[in-house]
Structures are given as C-alpha cells and as structure tokens.
Amino acid sequence: MKIAFVGKGGSGKTTLAALFLRHLAAETPAPPLLGIDADINQHLAAALGADESTASPTLGENLTAIKEHLRGDNPLVTSAEDMIKTTPPGRGSRLVGIADDNPLYRRFVRDVHGVRLAATGPFADSDLGVACYHSKVGAVELLLNHMVDGKGEYAVVDMTAGADSFASGLFTRFDVTFLVCEPTLRSVGVYRQYLGYARDFDVRVAVVGNKVVDQDDVAFLQQHVGADLLGWIGRSDHVRAAERGDIRPIAALEPGNRDTLRRMRALVDGVDQDWAKFHRQTVEFHLRNAVAWANGRAGRDLADQVDPDFVPGPVSLTR
Ligand SMILES: Nc1ncnc2c1ncn2[C@@H]1O[C@H](COP(=O)(O)OP(=O)(O)O)[C@@H](O)[C@H]1O
Ligand SMILES: [Mg+2]
C-alpha cells in the first residue's frame, strides 16, 4: 500500500510519517515497510532518530541507475536517457516490491531503528537554474510507478509542502493520502486546496488533525473538515522530547495518539487497490508530460513508450 503525508509546511507531515512508520515497525509481526523522504527539506531520517553521520546515497544521486534498473528489457524504453520521470512500466520492465532485495534498494535504502528508509536527497545549489526539485522527486515517481505492493505492506512517503506535488502526477500514486491539518485557518485552507485537485483524480484523502490542544481545536477541525476527519494527534510531549534529541520508544507515545495511528493503519488496510486505475493515471500523466516538455526534448512522440496491453499488479511481479 502506498501512503502519502501531505499538508501545509510545519503542520507535522514528517512527524506523523515518522510516528506512523515507528508504530508499524513495532507491531507484531512487523509488516514490510519502506519510508521515502520526498521533501525538499530532508527531515524524516532525523525524525526516525537517525544519526546524520550515517547518511546513505540518495534517490536523486541514483536517478540514472534507477532508470537503468527499472527499464529492464522493455523494448519501448531503449536507454536511460529516453526514460523520463513519467515513463510507464511495460512488458520487460523490472518492477519492485516494498521489501524485496534488489540492487536499487541495496544502493540507497538504509535501516533506521527498524525502519527501512530511502531519501530523495536535498535540493543542491547546483540544481538551481538547471533543474527543479521535481526532477529529483521524479525518482520517487518512477519508483512508485514501478512498485507492486499488496495489503499489509506499506510504502510511506513524506511529501513536499502544500500543493507543490501537483506539478507532477506524484499525488495520484497513493492508496491513501493523509492530509495533516493543524486547527488553523491556514492549514484548513491547504486542505481545501488539496481537495480541489484530489477530486478530479479520485484521490482518497483522510485528514489527521495535529497539535490539537483542547476541545475547541477538535470542534474547529470537525466544523471545517467534517467526515474527512479520521482522527487527531494532540500536542505531544513525546514529540517535543524527540525535538530535544530524546527519542522515546513508540510504546511511550500518549495512548490517544497511538489510537489514532491504529485507526490510520485500519483505514489503509481497508482499501482495495485498483491497478487498472493506477496505471491509467501513470499513462495519463506521461502523455501530459510528453506534450508539455518531453517530446520537444526527445525529438519524437514519447507516447510510443506506452505498452497498450500492460497493467502492473501482483500478477506482473511473477516474471
Ligand atoms: N503533535 C505534535 N506535538 C508537538 N509538536 C509537534 C507535533 N507535531 C509536530 N510538532 C512539531 O512541529 C514542527 C513541525 O513539524 P514537522 O513534522 O517538521 O512539519 P512538516 O513536516 O509538515 O513541515 C516540529 O518542530 C515538530 O516537532
Ligand atoms: Mg517535513
């Protein structure tokens, strides 16, 4: 299952993504997990309690290797240069799982206290003017487009702030999108904006309130978010301690907050994946990108990369 954390900057996306991952990692049995930090400001590793000196290679640095691996021997994608962030998988492509042992994961996935983590990499000065962050986040989009996962497995993506993700098809890649929302008008404003885009693409959004202090905060969220409000996380001493470098066990999280994490997992577990829709949107965004910029660069119509008879899913993994 592919899960995103989105919301206004500072709302708590990284904090909640880390808590959710740590909660899942502590379950018995621990499910297959992959955390992906796709934010410009790379904080997920730290929120999971990583020692920064152990940073590993990033997705952004490995974009060519990612393309080489994923294109496999797909006859429609004959070189890594030909592959753009939206190039869909087809027959011959290599698909990845959440916890399989593949050369890509060996390169850039590391273990952070029981959570397997991949990071996009920070926006470097050298990116300015030549590329936007979206080309790095493109590595995440490619990976998710080629990822076949199932129930009881979780890829959790900490996304960039606000509505930036709509610049690509990335926001449509998820089975569940958790929108983190503080009890403030600005945060609710981001929720409304997100819903506008999400509705057009049938994106399943569940709101998780955060930094809730009292009943007034709850009433505010209920009033503005209504039935989309799945639950909320209170302003947490556990989280504040982590900010001071004191990472406490997830079992020490306030019980009400832990219950919300359970409810989040239950929501994800109840969702049925729709691979035909998933792939249809992969293709749709590829065709948009092709027309918008990539055909001009490639000097041909990249619609020729679409394998018309292919749909990824559990069956396509058996190759
Ligand atoms: N439930 C919470 N209780 C206390 N502090 C929180 C809580 N959630 C987030 N914070 C704090 O708010 C700040 C922003 O959170 P962060 O997760 O980095 O936001 P985002 O990733 O959305 O930008 C951090 O200092 C974090 O520790
Ligand atoms: Mg963040």
Side-chain angles (χ1 to χ4, degrees), residues 5-19 39 41 43 47 158-161 180 182 209-212 233-244 253-254 257:
F5 283 80
V6 303
K8 188 177 83 60
S11 60
K13 295 177 291 295
T14 303
T15 301
L16 266 57
L19 287 176
D39 196 355
N41 303 303
H43 295 313
D158 180 13
M159 299 272 278
T160 195
V180 182
E182 294 171 81
N210 190 28
K211 306 187 195 180
V212 166
I233 300 278
R235 191 166 178 279
S236 160
D237 287 341
H238 188 278
V239 170
R240 290 167 53 77
E243 283 288 325
R244 297 191 300 266
L253 186 69
E254 296 85 358
N257 292 339

Side-chain angles (χ1 to χ4, degrees), residues 40 121-133 136:
I40 296 170
F123 186 90
D125 284 347
S126 58
D127 295 334
L128 290 171
V130 279
C132 62
Y133 187 72
K136 279 192 170 168

Side-chain angles (χ1 to χ4, degrees), residues 20-34:
F20 189 59
L21 281 162
R22 294 183 66 207
H23 167 71
L24 293 171
E27 300 261 85
T28 32
L33 282 184
L34 180 64

Side-chain angles (χ1 to χ4, degrees), residues 1-3 88-89 95-98 141-155 172-175 202 204 271-284 307-317:
M1 306 299 280
K2 301 180 180 81
I3 299 148
L95 302 173
V96 295
I98 283 184
E141 192 163 349
L142 265 180
L143 197 63
L144 293 176
N145 286 347
H146 289 74
M147 185 182 287
V148 172
D149 49 276
K151 292 236 182 202
E153 314 181 306
Y154 309 87
T172 66
R173 305 294 75 203
F174 302 100
D175 297 297
D202 196 17
R204 184 181 288 100
V271 167
D272 289 321
Q273 292 173 300
D274 181 345
W275 289 103
K277 171 184 146 194
F278 181 82
H279 192 66
R280 195 166 58 241
Q281 292 182 328
T282 305
V283 169
E284 179 178 341
D307 179 346
D309 299 321
F310 181 81
V311 175
V315 179
S316 57
L317 251 196

Side-chain angles (χ1 to χ4, degrees), residues 8 179-193 217 220-221 223-225:
K8 188 177 83 60
L179 191 138
V180 182
C181 192
E182 294 171 81
T184 66
L185 286 172
R186 280 180 52 199
S187 211
V188 162
V190 169
Y191 157 68
R192 292 225 176 83
Q193 188 189 17
D217 286 341
F220 178 89
L221 286 170
Q223 178 197 337
H224 287 276
V225 174

